[in-house]
Amino acid sequence: MYYNLLTGSVPSAVGKLTNLTQLALDDNALSGSLPSTLGNLFSLTHFSACNNRFSSSLPASISALARLQHLLLNGNFLEGSIPSDLSNLLSLYEMHRVSLARPCGIA
């Protein structure tokens, strides 16, 4: 769903897509907070939402995504600290969070 000029926020119902393995929301005009229901996407291996207008902090529920390998969120207005439980995600090997002036995927 990247490059689709989407606006508004990500609905909490996204958490019902429990078999989803990849979610790419890059380069839209999405805003608001990332929903805590993202933590319900237990099959997710790749989450990318670069270059949007997300604000607030990263939801702690992301720490429940044991299969997550890529977490790409740069180019947003996220603030706060990274949830400490994120260090428990042993599959996570690529994470980009707050490099506001850089394109997606480059730290």
Side-chain angles (χ1 to χ4, degrees):
M1 295 183 13
Y2 54 91
Y3 299 112
N4 279 302
L5 303 174
L6 299 175
T7 60
S9 60
V10 177
S12 61
V14 73
K16 294 181 180 180
L17 303 172
T18 56
N19 291 323
L20 196 66
T21 59
Q22 296 186 14
L23 180 57
L25 301 172
D26 305 313
D27 298 298
N28 286 292
L30 296 168
S31 60
S33 300
L34 292 167
S36 61
T37 56
L38 286 174
N40 298 338
L41 304 178
F42 301 114
S43 299
L44 203 64
T45 61
H46 178 99
F47 178 58
S48 182
C50 300
N51 303 318
N52 281 286
R53 297 178 183 146
F54 291 115
S55 58
S56 190
S57 58
L58 191 60
S61 63
I62 294 250
S63 301
L65 303 177
R67 296 181 181 172
L68 192 65
Q69 297 173 1
H70 306 274
L71 178 60
L72 309 172
L73 298 171
N74 53 295
N76 285 289
F77 302 100
L78 296 173
E79 54 190 37
S81 59
I82 296 172
S84 60
D85 289 344
L86 221 56
S87 63
N88 295 333
L89 298 181
L90 302 178
S91 295
L92 186 65
Y93 61 85
E94 182 177 25
M95 182 173 93
H96 303 281
R97 181 173 171 257
V98 222
S99 46
L100 297 176
R102 297 184 183 168
C104 184
I106 299 175

